[in-house]
Amino acid sequence: MFQIVLMPHPADPDQPLPIDPAARRGRGAISNETGRFEGQTRQAVHDGWDLEEEITPLRTELRLETARTIITYNRSPDLPFDRSINPYRGCEHGCVYCFARPTHAYLGLSPGLDFETRLTARPNAAELLEKELRAARYQVAPIAMGTNTDPYQPVEHAQEITRACLKVLNEYNHPVAIVTKGTGILRDLDILSDMAARGLAAVGISVTTLDRDIARGMEPRVPSPQKRLEVIRALTDAGVPTRIMVSPVVPGLTDTEIEAILAAGQAAGARAASWIMLRLPLEVVPLIEEWLRDRHPDRADKILRRLREMHGGKLYEAQWGRRMRGEGVYARMIAARFDAAIRRLGLDTGTTPLRTDLFRHPPRPGDQLSLFG
């Protein structure tokens, strides 16, 4: 049996926190190292009693947060949007490579297993969104959803916060671009098809691999690759412009599938495509390293070596313009393969920009109505 004791942070790397595989079954991360802002870490040590102990799987915990603002703005020159909404902190999908994992450290939680098991929801998101859209200083531009954590992760089925936000955006004729791996988006086809008919909605579906076994290990609670392709078909049939996102490309593991993923997306009805190289900011580096050595020990060194080749000897370079694609011969080869494939498949024309000219404040009870509509 083990007991948890507090240790100086960081913990002794020779005595990592042992988390039984039965406890983390169905999860992406292998460990749960304390976040970088904490002065102490919890360390499991044997208590000296050789007694059998039942191992129960980690359960998802959800706490509600009363947010003060909901639209987040950024000035990153390599992002195609300047504002976003994230209804949830943490993501139950459990993608081990997720670049958003380090944000959990700001909550005093681990970017490891805490990120996918201890979630926060913002139930007042739609209320805040309407308030911020009504502000006199607000200037309309497309809002992105799903840029940090997935708005259609499993907890959305019960919480319906994403749907509530879409209702507000629809009422205000406000453009929205959504990125997701979840099939839950099909629940909101009624809203999205209505918005898309006015040029106000577009969706990106992320497919990292077509290999079910690799996907199950790397993205344990994400719908299968085939299910995601079916989502593309359903969205396209409903008139929602949809792109296939080869994201992220994992060198030495999924890079051979780029053309196949694009072809599958095009066959499912995708109108455009994009890609991003694997990004490993901060705590994601040790998480991906231990995952690779556990799940793909024969490929781990090759994958890590490729990443270092693209980032000047480091596993990640956060510089704008380089963080999404990397540099060097290998990065250029991946870009060339992608460009050739989308030209061949007719995915290189992109989608029509979302409209911003229809934005308006819907009347509230008691508002003075215009005589001219």
Side-chain angles (χ1 to χ4, degrees):
M1 294 180 64
F2 290 88
Q3 62 180 343
I4 304 297
V5 299
L6 292 176
M7 305 280 288
H9 184 62
D12 184 349
D14 296 326
Q15 294 183 337
L17 178 65
I19 298 178
D20 195 287
R24 53 181 171 82
R25 183 178 179 183
R27 303 294 180 175
I30 290 176
S31 63
N32 206 37
E33 181 59 45
T34 306
R36 61 191 178 280
F37 300 116
E38 305 306 304
Q40 294 179 313
T41 187
R42 290 172 172 80
Q43 187 83 24
V45 297
H46 201 282
D47 61 7
W49 294 89
D50 291 321
L51 300 176
E52 289 190 11
E53 187 174 22
E54 181 182 0
I55 304 297
T56 58
L58 290 168
R59 303 296 182 189
T60 300
E61 302 174 15
L62 180 67
R63 81 177 174 90
L64 305 182
E65 171 187 271
T66 301
R68 291 181 292 180
T69 60
I70 196 62
I71 301 178
T72 300
Y73 293 88
N74 77 82
R75 297 180 180 177
S76 301
D78 54 358
L79 293 179
F81 57 89
D82 71 351
R83 66 200 68 186
S84 60
I85 296 173
N86 288 289
Y88 302 99
R89 297 177 188 263
C91 186
E92 194 176 2
H93 279 160
C95 303
V96 68
Y97 54 73
C98 182
F99 64 82
R101 283 181 176 273
T103 62
H104 238 45
Y106 292 108
L107 305 178
L109 299 173
S110 172
L113 287 165
D114 281 349
F115 178 80
E116 50 195 286
T117 60
R118 301 178 68 180
L119 314 179
T120 300
R122 295 162 166 171
N124 65 330
E127 176 186 346
L128 286 174
L129 176 59
E130 181 164 17
K131 178 182 177 181
E132 292 173 33
L133 294 183
R134 279 191 172 269
R137 65 182 180 278
Y138 183 76
Q139 299 293 317
V140 63
I143 285 179
M145 299 185 73
T147 58
N148 200 45
T149 58
D150 202 309
Y152 288 103
Q153 58 179 290
V155 293
E156 166 63 15
H157 297 309
Q159 298 299 314
E160 296 194 358
I161 301 173
T162 299
R163 183 173 177 83
C165 289
L166 286 179
K167 287 180 178 179
V168 172
L169 294 171
N170 192 24
E171 290 174 358
Y172 280 73
N173 283 334
H174 195 292
V176 63
I178 300 173
V179 174
T180 184
K181 295 185 178 79
T183 56
I185 192 172
L186 298 182
R187 178 202 61 194
D188 295 338
L189 269 182
D190 56 335
I191 302 176
L192 291 171
S193 60
D194 185 33
M195 296 183 73
R198 286 171 279 143
L200 296 173
V203 175
I205 300 297
S206 176
V207 179
T208 311
T209 176
L210 298 176
D211 187 310
R212 290 177 63 92
D213 291 334
I214 292 177
R216 190 179 298 113
M218 193 163 57
E219 310 159 333
R221 299 200 174 203
V222 176
S224 71
Q226 184 57 43
K227 289 290 185 183
R228 281 175 263 173
L229 293 171
E230 291 171 8
V231 169
I232 293 176
R233 171 52 61 194
L235 288 165
T236 300
D237 289 348
V240 181
T242 308
R243 75 173 54 235
I244 177 78
M245 304 177 69
V246 187
S247 174
V249 173
V250 183
L253 185 62
T254 68
D255 52 350
T256 58
E257 299 185 65
I258 292 172
E259 291 82 0
I261 294 171
L262 290 170
Q266 189 266 353
R271 298 186 188 178
S274 61
W275 73 281
I276 295 176
M277 189 65 74
L278 179 65
R279 295 171 55 193
L280 304 177
L282 301 168
E283 289 96 342
V284 188
V285 168
L287 288 172
I288 201 75
E289 281 195 84
E290 64 184 2
W291 181 85
L292 285 171
R293 298 200 183 283
D294 179 74
R295 292 290 188 124
H296 300 281
D298 57 326
R299 305 191 198 187
D301 287 335
K302 176 183 177 181
I303 293 169
L304 296 172
R305 185 167 59 249
R306 286 289 190 204
L307 289 168
R308 290 190 175 95
E309 287 174 8
M310 292 186 289
H311 297 296
K314 298 181 289 185
L315 288 175
Y316 181 63
E317 174 58 64
Q319 293 260 344
W320 285 331
R322 285 189 257 174
R323 57 180 182 163
M324 305 288 190
R325 302 290 173 85
E327 292 184 304
V329 174
Y330 177 80
R332 291 195 296 271
M333 179 190 70
I334 294 296
R337 284 175 50 198
F338 176 86
D339 290 344
I342 62 172
R343 285 195 301 271
R344 184 174 65 253
L345 295 167
L347 295 172
D348 57 335
T349 57
T351 56
T352 303
L354 297 176
R355 295 183 65 177
T356 59
D357 59 307
L358 300 178
F359 178 69
R360 64 177 177 83
H361 293 180
R364 289 173 165 176
D367 282 355
Q368 178 68 47
L369 300 181
S370 169
L371 293 175
F372 304 101

